[in-house]
Amino acid sequence: MKAVRFNEYGGLDVLKIKDVEAPHAGPGQVRIAVRAAGVNPIDWKLRAGYVHDFMPLTFPAGVGSEAAGIVDEVGAGVTGVAVGDAVFGYGQNTVAEHAVLRAWAHVPDTMPMDVAGGMAVIAETATRILDQVHLKPGETLLIAGAAGGVGTAVIQLARQRGAIVIGTASAPKHAYLRELGAIPTTYEPGLAARVRELAPLGVNAALDLAGAGLIPELIAIVGDPARVVSIADVTAPHHGAAFSARSAEHPEHAFAEVARLYREGAFQLRIEQTFPMEHIARAQEVSAAGRVSGKLVIIMD
Ligand SMILES: NC(=O)c1ccc[n+]([C@@H]2O[C@H](COP(=O)([O-])OP(=O)(O)OC[C@H]3O[C@@H](n4cnc5c(N)ncnc54)[C@H](OP(=O)(O)O)[C@@H]3O)[C@@H](O)[C@H]2O)c1
């Protein structure tokens, strides 16, 4: 099968399309014929070696941690899914013609495959960090960096939990945040004062998705470091806040929940751009520029 591989840390030019052996579904896994695979910032961070200290690669390495496709092998012990089913979920080396998934949910009939391919990472991450700040109905949540993929999911899932959501983004993206149910503000200096005007009764919890050195300010706004979580700033624990990095061992319930909400018209995901596998370098370049609203997705023929 054709798949993306790279043999060393480096720039976009290390990414190659190779003919490789297709993987097989082991116990508890399924294999899919990939239709769409989401592009995430971790893909280019891994390729460039930026996260080598805590996520070292062995070479040749593949690209991609999520995908949607049609099941073509079912591993031992797997129930509730059959060859021919459309599923999306978490896997490894998913930018390939076939990929093995370790956790999945069925794709709703109404969900296009490109949307399904970009759904797993944002669903699991958003669910995990909302659980981690113990968000309750009626509370106010502040999200720094709300217009990207994870922000898109966090806003909608927090609104589903009955929270009021304030999100930061550059001004051109404020209409997008409003569409998702958040009150937008910019991320220029003076955030605390702007947030005080938008939420005179205060903010109960904050999520940092931007990694732009905001942790002390978010703690000051919330007043409790235990209710501030970052997924993008490893220094968060130095200030008493949490850094959340490890994906849930069983993300299936998060996948199934966004699938249910999508079916009911209560969850949306904008796919900003799609790329063929041959344009993987361009896709990572766009992701690394840091301006995506929603998701980028690789589409298989
Ligand atoms: N630890 C984990 O488990 C985990 C899981 C998933 C993702 N992540 C990390 O979390 C971060 C967000 O992921 P993502 O997939 O949502 O990324 P993304 O889709 O690439 O996010 C892009 C968005 O970030 C916004 N942005 C950039 N700089 C900003 C700033 N200084 N303040 C506020 N917003 C800013 C941009 O909005 P503007 O154009 O308006 O600036 C853009 O809409 C990445 O660093 C990613 O690696 C971590």
Side-chain angles (χ1 to χ4, degrees):
M1 68 165 191
K2 296 212 179 308
V4 176
R5 289 286 184 272
F6 58 109
N7 270 314
E8 57 183 324
Y9 293 120
L12 295 167
D13 57 322
V14 301
L15 297 168
K16 310 284 182 211
I17 308 288
K18 295 280 187 190
D19 282 310
V20 300
E21 287 291 316
H24 291 285
Q29 301 175 332
V30 296
R31 189 180 77 173
I32 58 172
V34 177
R35 291 280 181 79
V39 177
N40 290 288
I42 193 66
D43 301 343
W44 50 264
K45 292 178 187 179
L46 282 164
R47 185 211 74 229
Y50 295 153
V51 292
H52 168 79
D53 287 350
F54 57 100
M55 292 175 81
L57 294 178
T58 50
F59 295 108
V63 171
S65 56
E66 65 177 344
I70 307 300
V71 174
D72 66 359
E73 263 185 28
V74 176
V78 172
T79 55
V81 68
V83 168
D85 288 0
V87 298
F88 69 96
Y90 268 166
Q92 266 190 332
N93 306 339
T94 53
V95 185
E97 288 177 329
H98 296 270
V100 165
L101 300 184
R102 72 166 174 88
W104 59 86
H106 282 92
V107 178
D109 292 343
T110 52
M111 188 187 284
M113 278 306 221
D114 58 345
V115 172
M119 201 57 98
V121 167
I122 64 169
E124 185 278 323
T125 307
T127 304
R128 165 170 32 105
I129 59 181
L130 284 170
D131 288 346
Q132 213 166 335
V133 291
H134 305 292
L135 192 69
K136 291 186 267 306
E139 289 192 329
T140 299
L141 174 72
L142 173 62
I143 305 170
V150 178
T152 296
V154 175
I155 293 171
Q156 297 177 88
L157 296 180
R159 298 287 290 137
Q160 284 292 327
R161 293 182 187 204
I164 297 158
V165 179
I166 299 171
T168 71
S170 58
K173 294 185 175 163
H174 286 192
Y176 178 65
L177 296 197
R178 277 195 202 94
E179 214 179 285
L180 297 174
I183 303 163
T185 188
T186 57
Y187 47 75
E188 290 154 5
L191 180 63
R194 288 195 304 282
V195 168
R196 247 193 321 276
E197 279 200 10
L198 295 171
L201 298 179
V203 167
N204 303 98
L207 295 171
D208 168 41
L209 319 180
L214 291 166
I215 302 298
E217 194 171 10
L218 295 180
I219 291 172
I221 291 170
V222 172
D224 178 4
R227 300 201 72 193
V228 177
V229 171
S230 178
I231 57 167
D233 187 340
V234 292
T235 72
H238 304 169
H239 305 283
F243 175 66
S244 178
R246 187 178 295 186
S247 62
E249 208 167 308
H250 289 291
E252 295 86 349
H253 78 280
F255 298 163
E257 179 64 2
V258 291
R260 181 185 71 78
L261 292 170
Y262 191 92
R263 212 181 292 117
E264 292 172 359
F267 191 96
Q268 53 173 294
L269 173 58
R270 176 196 289 183
I271 302 303
E272 184 171 288
Q273 209 176 333
T274 63
F275 305 82
M277 179 162 62
E278 291 69 26
H279 294 178
I280 183 67
R282 176 66 188 142
Q284 289 198 0
E285 185 177 40
V286 173
S287 173
R291 300 274 84 89
V292 175
S293 310
K295 292 278 295 209
L296 306 173
V297 172
I298 304 293
I299 299 292
M300 300 296 160
D301 290 336

